Amino acid sequence: MNFKIPLMKHTFLQESETKKALADFIIRAERLSMGKECEAFEKKFANYQGRKYAVLFNSGGSANLAMIQALKNLGKIRNDDKAGFSAITWSTNTMPLIQLGLKPIPLDCEPSILNVTLKNILDTLQRHDLKLIFLTNVLGLTGDLSNIKKLCDEKGILILEDNCESLGTELSDGKAGNFSIASSFSFFVAHHMSTIEGGMVCTDDESFYEMLKIVRANGWDRNLDDEQKVKWRKAFNIKSEFEASYTFYDLGYNLRPTEITGFLGQYQMQFLDENIQTRQRNFLRIQKAVEMNNDFVPLNHTHIPLLSGFAFPFIGKTPDLREKYIQKFIKAGIEIRPLIAGNIQRQPFYKKYDENEYQLNGADYLHECGFYTGNYPELTEADLLLIEDCLKK
Ligand SMILES: Cc1ncc(COP(=O)(O)O)c(C=O)c1O
């Protein structure tokens, strides 16, 4: 179906300029497998995010898998540990918890902020002893991350953030993605910036950083720096380079990006801030239209001075009202979709691996009443007026 306003229009920010630069890069590149372009993008991104280290992956989903595998390899979490996670999330947040032998415990979400709040966590802690909380910062919004971090620090609970949908969001006390031991980002098409496929993990923890690089490449040490290599080889009594190149120290995968990912990431970053500003402006404008119509639940984003989302999320007050507006959007030629994957507990894969039924009123409400359309810099004045028109009673 051809939409007047699709969920996204282009693969890249500054599409034609980026495609030309990419073609030129491929022609002159001597090497296309992971190398110095990836490293340069990692440095640039860590600097942008305000974290010490960044490790580039071939997708945001891989980044999530690697974070959990790294925590396991380091012995920070073990089989059967209980891991809380945002119930409104994406499959690749929850699946690795199951795949890697943890006990997933869904955390309910507050509808007006789409996210897990301190209260949701306190409620869950009354029933479950959580070792890890994997938060998803949904569509540019977040919960009260400072208070959540404070509580988790006090209780010795590790936090991971999936920041794939909130690159650039800033709270009064820091950027989303910086309230945890590590956070993931996605550069898949339609995210804030794209490397076609791609993901990143940011952390300040040196041993976690080192382990991420081991996990990313088969469990071997080839991408570690010289000092780190010496340490691993000494610990396992590996004496020659011949032997070291084929020594696998811990569990890993091949989750490597290519130099194309590294090149595109650096190139796209030059357009990122301006595009975040445009999306925030659009978001605030459309949110005003939402607030004028009491068929919708208004979003609460007063705690987020810079809201960087790639979508306009809408919550009808009832499932019937959602249906009414879904039909209006479709009739107007605007592509829409559910709020990420809804309450993930209601997905077939989840039910197969966790027979428990958790009472998640907020996540169920979002599942039944939420939907979203795309927020991207190419939206025209006419597009925005059409969306505003659909939000009228
Ligand atoms: C919250 C969240 N986490 C993870 C991912 C996975 O990212 P990728 O598609 O790069 O694997 C997505 C994808 O949209 C997402 O929305």
Side-chain angles (χ1 to χ4, degrees), residues 87-374:
I88 297 293
T89 188
W90 190 241
S91 58
T92 57
N93 173 304
T94 314
M95 286 182 181
L97 298 174
I98 297 170
Q99 286 156 334
L100 295 179
L102 298 163
K103 286 232 162 353
I105 309 288
L107 298 164
D108 204 6
C109 295
E110 161 56 38
S112 67
I113 59 169
L114 311 179
N115 276 281
V116 170
T117 62
L118 184 68
K119 182 178 177 309
N120 298 131
I121 293 175
L122 287 169
D123 287 349
T124 306
L125 285 175
Q126 288 185 353
R127 277 163 283 120
H128 300 283
D129 181 17
L130 303 177
K131 290 279 179 304
L132 166 69
I133 288 182
F134 194 179
L135 294 172
T136 300
N137 297 327
V138 175
L139 299 176
L141 285 94
T142 73
D144 38 355
L145 291 177
S146 269
N147 291 332
I148 291 175
K149 182 172 181 323
K150 199 159 155 248
L151 174 81
C152 289
D153 285 349
E154 276 164 23
K155 295 199 174 290
I157 301 169
L158 295 166
I159 305 177
L160 293 175
E161 277 171 277
D162 177 325
N163 206 43
C164 291
E165 298 182 355
S166 299
L167 165 59
T169 284
E170 286 185 29
L171 308 176
S172 52
D173 36 14
K175 284 192 168 181
N178 290 357
F179 292 83
S180 49
I181 177 167
S183 51
S184 60
F185 299 81
S186 167
F187 310 123
F188 180 57
V189 177
H191 284 242
H192 305 81
M193 58 175 249
S194 152
T195 58
I196 312 172
E197 295 279 5
M200 192 77 88
V201 175
C202 286
T203 183
D204 294 323
D205 183 314
E206 194 181 354
S207 60
F208 193 79
Y209 168 61
E210 185 180 11
M211 185 53 80
L212 282 173
K213 289 201 281 184
I214 288 177
V215 169
R216 176 176 65 178
N218 306 319
W220 62 34
D221 72 6
R222 291 189 201 182
N223 308 110
L224 302 185
D225 65 33
D226 290 343
E227 209 177 296
Q228 291 167 333
K229 280 182 186 161
V230 169
K231 189 184 72 184
W232 283 89
R233 291 172 190 189
K234 213 166 152 195
F236 289 88
N237 201 24
I238 310 295
K239 296 220 165 63
S240 69
E241 192 63 44
F242 176 76
E243 206 186 340
S245 299
Y246 293 90
T247 298
F248 303 91
Y249 294 97
D250 211 328
L251 297 185
Y253 311 86
N254 179 358
L255 307 175
R256 288 180 303 222
T258 69
E259 287 291 79
I260 293 174
T261 330
F263 170 80
L264 282 170
Q266 293 171 80
Y267 201 84
Q268 287 281 281
M269 276 190 79
Q270 62 181 311
F271 311 122
L272 184 59
D273 278 337
E274 194 190 325
N275 280 281
I276 288 173
Q277 293 296 338
T278 308
R279 289 183 219 244
Q280 149 131 320
R281 236 184 358 260
N282 288 346
F283 176 90
L284 295 175
R285 172 172 167 177
I286 294 300
Q287 202 45 42
K288 275 216 179 84
V290 169
E291 283 158 17
M292 309 259 290
N293 181 346
N294 65 7
D295 283 349
F296 290 101
V297 177
L299 291 170
N300 174 2
H301 51 90
T302 49
H303 59 301
I304 309 178
L306 177 52
L307 195 152
S308 171
F310 52 71
F312 300 124
F314 304 116
I315 314 160
K317 281 220 170 117
T318 64
D320 285 348
L321 283 171
R322 172 173 79 166
E323 190 51 33
K324 170 180 158 184
Y325 287 94
I326 282 180
Q327 291 313 323
K328 276 182 98 171
F329 274 70
I330 291 173
K331 216 164 144 207
I334 304 172
E335 191 177 7
I336 48 153
R337 50 162 289 173
L339 260 181
I340 335 189
N343 174 359
I344 207 98
Q345 183 185 227
R346 293 169 66 163
Q347 294 282 351
F349 86 87
Y350 193 82
K351 288 185 189 156
K352 181 171 174 192
Y353 292 100
D354 185 357
E355 288 164 356
N356 298 305
E357 275 279 342
Y358 298 88
Q359 183 81 22
L360 302 171
N361 296 337
D364 276 338
Y365 191 73
L366 288 167
H367 191 102
E368 287 160 14
C369 300
F371 68 101
Y372 82 67
T373 184

Side-chain angles (χ1 to χ4, degrees), residues 6-25:
L7 281 173
M8 52 140 194
K9 274 195 182 143
H10 294 130
T11 303
F12 302 115
L13 304 174
Q14 257 56 22
E15 174 100 335
S16 65
E17 178 187 331
T18 302
K19 279 184 172 169
K20 276 193 200 115
L22 174 61
D24 186 49
F25 168 72

